[in-house]
mmCIF file of all heavy atoms in Angstrom:
data_model
loop_
_atom_site.group_PDB
_atom_site.id
_atom_site.type_symbol
_atom_site.label_atom_id
_atom_site.label_comp_id
_atom_site.label_asym_id
_atom_site.label_seq_id
_atom_site.Cartn_x
_atom_site.Cartn_y
_atom_site.Cartn_z
ATOM 1 N N LEU A 17 -91.809 -164.944 63.468
ATOM 2 C CA LEU A 17 -91.467 -166.048 62.569
ATOM 3 C C LEU A 17 -90.646 -165.410 61.378
ATOM 4 O O LEU A 17 -91.037 -164.422 60.897
ATOM 5 C CB LEU A 17 -92.770 -166.757 62.091
ATOM 6 C CG LEU A 17 -93.684 -167.363 63.059
ATOM 7 C CD1 LEU A 17 -94.824 -168.079 62.452
ATOM 8 C CD2 LEU A 17 -92.905 -168.211 64.054
ATOM 9 N N SER A 18 -89.661 -166.233 60.927
ATOM 10 C CA SER A 18 -89.047 -165.861 59.673
ATOM 11 C C SER A 18 -88.603 -167.125 59.013
ATOM 12 O O SER A 18 -88.668 -168.225 59.597
ATOM 13 C CB SER A 18 -87.780 -164.935 60.047
ATOM 14 O OG SER A 18 -86.757 -165.540 60.805
ATOM 15 N N ASN A 19 -88.068 -167.028 57.806
ATOM 16 C CA ASN A 19 -87.646 -168.163 57.052
ATOM 17 C C ASN A 19 -86.208 -167.764 56.550
ATOM 18 O O ASN A 19 -85.999 -167.535 55.321
ATOM 19 C CB ASN A 19 -88.586 -168.452 55.910
ATOM 20 C CG ASN A 19 -88.291 -169.926 55.348
ATOM 21 O OD1 ASN A 19 -87.320 -170.387 55.486
ATOM 22 N ND2 ASN A 19 -89.277 -170.403 54.648
ATOM 23 N N PRO A 20 -85.159 -167.934 57.362
ATOM 24 C CA PRO A 20 -83.883 -167.607 56.832
ATOM 25 C C PRO A 20 -83.431 -168.501 55.636
ATOM 26 O O PRO A 20 -83.670 -169.757 55.708
ATOM 27 C CB PRO A 20 -82.925 -167.900 58.094
ATOM 28 C CG PRO A 20 -83.867 -167.893 59.267
ATOM 29 C CD PRO A 20 -85.187 -168.380 58.716
ATOM 30 N N GLY A 21 -82.888 -167.825 54.710
ATOM 31 C CA GLY A 21 -82.470 -168.673 53.487
ATOM 32 C C GLY A 21 -83.493 -168.960 52.536
ATOM 33 O O GLY A 21 -83.396 -169.641 51.621
ATOM 34 N N ALA A 22 -84.816 -168.374 52.704
ATOM 35 C CA ALA A 22 -85.923 -168.643 51.812
ATOM 36 C C ALA A 22 -85.541 -167.895 50.420
ATOM 37 O O ALA A 22 -84.701 -167.155 50.286
ATOM 38 C CB ALA A 22 -87.169 -168.082 52.321
ATOM 39 N N GLY A 23 -86.452 -168.299 49.502
ATOM 40 C CA GLY A 23 -86.150 -167.550 48.189
ATOM 41 C C GLY A 23 -85.165 -168.286 47.328
ATOM 42 O O GLY A 23 -84.598 -167.801 46.409
ATOM 43 N N GLY A 24 -85.021 -169.651 47.525
ATOM 44 C CA GLY A 24 -84.134 -170.429 46.651
ATOM 45 C C GLY A 24 -82.761 -170.588 47.081
ATOM 46 O O GLY A 24 -81.922 -171.387 46.677
ATOM 47 N N SER A 25 -82.313 -169.861 48.136
ATOM 48 C CA SER A 25 -80.996 -170.028 48.778
ATOM 49 C C SER A 25 -81.005 -171.208 49.697
ATOM 50 O O SER A 25 -82.027 -171.574 50.311
ATOM 51 C CB SER A 25 -80.483 -168.759 49.337
ATOM 52 O OG SER A 25 -81.257 -168.501 50.496
ATOM 53 N N PRO A 26 -79.888 -171.896 49.815
ATOM 54 C CA PRO A 26 -79.816 -173.029 50.697
ATOM 55 C C PRO A 26 -79.998 -172.564 52.180
ATOM 56 O O PRO A 26 -79.634 -171.444 52.578
ATOM 57 C CB PRO A 26 -78.495 -173.618 50.514
ATOM 58 C CG PRO A 26 -77.592 -172.506 50.060
ATOM 59 C CD PRO A 26 -78.647 -171.653 49.250
ATOM 60 N N GLY A 27 -80.341 -173.504 53.037
ATOM 61 C CA GLY A 27 -80.507 -173.325 54.548
ATOM 62 C C GLY A 27 -81.825 -172.711 54.943
ATOM 63 O O GLY A 27 -81.951 -172.346 56.048
ATOM 64 N N GLY A 28 -82.841 -172.690 54.089
ATOM 65 C CA GLY A 28 -84.184 -172.198 54.504
ATOM 66 C C GLY A 28 -84.798 -173.052 55.528
ATOM 67 O O GLY A 28 -84.805 -174.359 55.451
ATOM 68 N N TYR A 29 -85.365 -172.496 56.580
ATOM 69 C CA TYR A 29 -86.062 -173.171 57.699
ATOM 70 C C TYR A 29 -86.985 -172.126 58.399
ATOM 71 O O TYR A 29 -86.790 -170.960 58.159
ATOM 72 C CB TYR A 29 -85.105 -173.835 58.691
ATOM 73 C CG TYR A 29 -84.184 -172.864 59.439
ATOM 74 C CD1 TYR A 29 -84.642 -172.464 60.718
ATOM 75 C CD2 TYR A 29 -83.092 -172.410 58.949
ATOM 76 C CE1 TYR A 29 -83.920 -171.495 61.392
ATOM 77 C CE2 TYR A 29 -82.293 -171.486 59.705
ATOM 78 C CZ TYR A 29 -82.663 -171.110 60.860
ATOM 79 O OH TYR A 29 -81.914 -170.178 61.550
ATOM 80 N N LEU A 30 -87.847 -172.675 59.204
ATOM 81 C CA LEU A 30 -88.724 -171.854 59.926
ATOM 82 C C LEU A 30 -88.088 -171.435 61.208
ATOM 83 O O LEU A 30 -87.744 -172.309 62.084
ATOM 84 C CB LEU A 30 -90.092 -172.564 60.266
ATOM 85 C CG LEU A 30 -91.086 -171.725 61.026
ATOM 86 C CD1 LEU A 30 -91.572 -170.634 60.263
ATOM 87 C CD2 LEU A 30 -92.281 -172.667 61.456
ATOM 88 N N ASN A 31 -87.843 -170.109 61.390
ATOM 89 C CA ASN A 31 -87.160 -169.738 62.688
ATOM 90 C C ASN A 31 -88.311 -169.084 63.510
ATOM 91 O O ASN A 31 -89.153 -168.214 63.120
ATOM 92 C CB ASN A 31 -86.120 -168.716 62.319
ATOM 93 C CG ASN A 31 -85.372 -168.200 63.579
ATOM 94 O OD1 ASN A 31 -84.671 -168.886 64.115
ATOM 95 N ND2 ASN A 31 -85.643 -166.895 64.056
#
Side-chain angles (χ1 to χ4, degrees):
L17 302 184
S18 63
N19 195 341
S25 63
Y29 65 93
L30 179 65
N31 185 72

